[in-house]
Amino acid sequence: MKDAFMQEAIALAVENVRQGRGGPFAALVVKGSAVVARGTNRVTTAHDPTAHAEVVAIREACRALGDFQLNGCDLYTSCEPCPMCLGALYWARLDRVFFAASRQDAAAAGFDDAFIYDELCRPLDARSVPLVQRLSEAGQRPFEVWAAYEGRVEY
Amino acid sequence: MKDAFMQEAIALAVENVRQGRGGPFAALVVKGSAVVARGTNRVTTAHDPTAHAEVVAIREACRALGDFQLNGCDLYTSCEPCPMCLGALYWARLDRVFFAASRQDAAAAGFDDAFIYDELCRPLDARSVPLVQRLSEAGQRPFEVWAAYEGRVEY
């Protein structure tokens, strides 16, 4: 853990706001002592609700390394990852995550991170966005085809 | 809710496997009776751990509509969204979600959806990926700059 990486993430987040590029968030993917990729929030300017700093940094790091996983890498982010970004870093198999501000700090600044955490941990029928299951039997078919497909690449 | 949209999502997921494009998942963003965007899982072929069907469909729908939110749209997905995708659809402000297979079905097929749900709902110090807070005071600075920035676009 190097505080210099976190200081860079925080400085990038401040700069991202001042340049009008998006929300007050930035992240770095680090391998050993080298920065593999940087990302800042671009939701409003890229018209992409998934363009959070962590997702941008993870996508860029995978592009740089030519891989779909980031084993051996750490993430430094100016704020605790929201559930979307936390899910992304699990799928990317990052080793460790360092964050500065908390989800409560983000909530106080007007962002929905804490709300979405609460939602995700509720049963489906208690959420504010309705999630309805349909055609559950037909929905098994893609998994059956996957299990039988010899060329499948697992992730 | 139209079962035809779900049937299309399931068929796209099957085709995605057979074409070797990625995992057994597909999703549609629908507005009224029109499909705004389609997405299939491209994680392994695009070298992008965030290229889940729902994220791909949401990003494409936002591109098509020139907006960073999808109010008034529904999502049809062949499988219950993982935490990353569920977070993405909250940020995108989708109205409703319809899914066919469940997170348990995905787990049985070898995917980590259920595991990641369990992780997200745990306290930080009980998770399998370490999350460590550092420089929490300095981490407030981006939010202070955001609050003072008159040109900010909230999301």
Side-chain angles (χ1 to χ4, degrees), chain A residues 1 3 41 47-48 59 66 86 90 93 97-100 105 112 119 121 127 130 132-134 140 155, chain B residues 1 3 41 47-48 59 66 90 93 97-100 105 112 119 121 127 130 132-134 140 155:
Chain A
M1 159 68 196
D3 281 351
N41 183 291
H47 289 165
D48 181 356
R59 298 182 82 222
L86 196 65
Y90 271 89
R93 318 287 177 203
V97 179
F98 302 100
F99 66 94
D105 297 327
D112 282 345
E119 286 282 301
C121 299
R127 295 202 188 137
V132 180
Q133 188 167 27
R134 294 287 303 173
Q140 306 310 312
Y155 61 88
Chain B
M1 160 65 197
D3 281 350
N41 182 292
H47 289 166
D48 181 356
R59 298 181 82 222
Y90 272 88
R93 319 288 176 201
V97 179
F98 302 101
F99 67 94
D105 298 328
D112 283 344
E119 286 282 302
C121 298
R127 295 203 188 136
V132 179
Q133 188 167 27
R134 295 286 304 172
Q140 307 308 312
Y155 63 88

Side-chain angles (χ1 to χ4, degrees), chain A:
Chain A
M1 159 68 196
K2 294 215 174 73
D3 281 351
F5 292 132
M6 189 65 87
Q7 285 158 350
E8 181 176 345
I10 293 168
L12 281 174
V14 167
E15 191 61 16
N16 198 56
V17 173
R18 287 191 175 137
Q19 297 286 336
R21 297 193 182 121
F25 306 96
L28 276 67
V29 173
V30 173
K31 190 166 193 170
S33 59
V35 177
V36 178
R38 295 167 174 83
T40 64
N41 183 291
R42 300 292 171 101
V43 167
T44 54
T45 51
H47 289 165
D48 181 356
T50 74
H52 284 201
E54 297 93 328
V55 166
V56 172
I58 288 169
R59 298 182 82 222
E60 175 60 22
C62 286
R63 201 192 59 73
L65 298 177
D67 200 347
F68 54 85
Q69 297 192 334
L70 297 171
N71 306 80
C73 295
D74 295 328
L75 185 76
Y76 289 77
T77 174
S78 62
C79 183
E80 182 182 351
C82 80
M84 176 180 73
C85 295
L86 196 65
L89 67 89
Y90 271 89
W91 289 115
R93 318 287 177 203
L94 284 154
D95 280 13
R96 298 178 297 176
V97 179
F98 302 100
F99 66 94
S102 69
R103 72 179 82 169
Q104 289 78 16
D105 297 327
F111 297 93
D112 282 345
D113 304 49
F115 165 72
I116 299 177
Y117 270 105
D118 289 344
E119 286 282 301
L120 258 72
C121 299
R122 284 187 189 144
L124 298 194
D125 60 4
R127 295 202 188 137
S128 68
V129 174
L131 272 100
V132 180
Q133 188 167 27
R134 294 287 303 173
L135 307 187
S136 59
E137 277 195 45
Q140 306 310 312
R141 185 72 185 135
F143 294 131
E144 294 163 5
V145 174
W146 175 254
Y149 179 63
E150 292 189 2
R152 71 180 179 276
V153 179
E154 296 181 355
Y155 61 88

Side-chain angles (χ1 to χ4, degrees), chain B residues 31-78:
Chain B
K31 190 165 194 171
S33 59
V35 177
V36 179
R38 294 167 176 83
T40 65
N41 182 292
R42 299 292 171 102
V43 168
T44 53
T45 52
H47 289 166
D48 181 356
T50 74
H52 284 201
E54 297 93 329
V55 165
V56 172
I58 287 169
R59 298 181 82 222
E60 174 60 24
C62 286
R63 203 194 57 76
L65 298 176
D67 200 349
F68 55 85
Q69 299 193 333
L70 297 171
N71 306 78
C73 295
D74 294 329
L75 185 75
Y76 289 76
T77 174
S78 62

Side-chain angles (χ1 to χ4, degrees), chain B residues 76-149:
Chain B
Y76 289 76
T77 174
S78 62
C79 184
E80 183 182 350
C82 80
M84 175 181 73
C85 295
L86 195 65
L89 68 88
Y90 272 88
W91 288 115
R93 319 288 176 201
L94 283 154
D95 280 14
R96 297 178 299 176
V97 179
F98 302 101
F99 67 94
S102 70
R103 72 178 81 168
Q104 290 79 14
D105 298 328
F111 297 94
D112 283 344
D113 304 49
F115 165 73
I116 299 176
Y117 270 106
D118 290 344
E119 286 282 302
L120 258 72
C121 298
R122 285 188 189 143
L124 297 195
D125 59 5
R127 295 203 188 136
S128 68
V129 175
L131 272 100
V132 179
Q133 188 167 27
R134 295 286 304 172
L135 308 187
S136 59
E137 276 195 46
Q140 307 308 312
R141 185 73 185 134
F143 294 132
E144 293 163 5
V145 175
W146 175 254
Y149 180 62

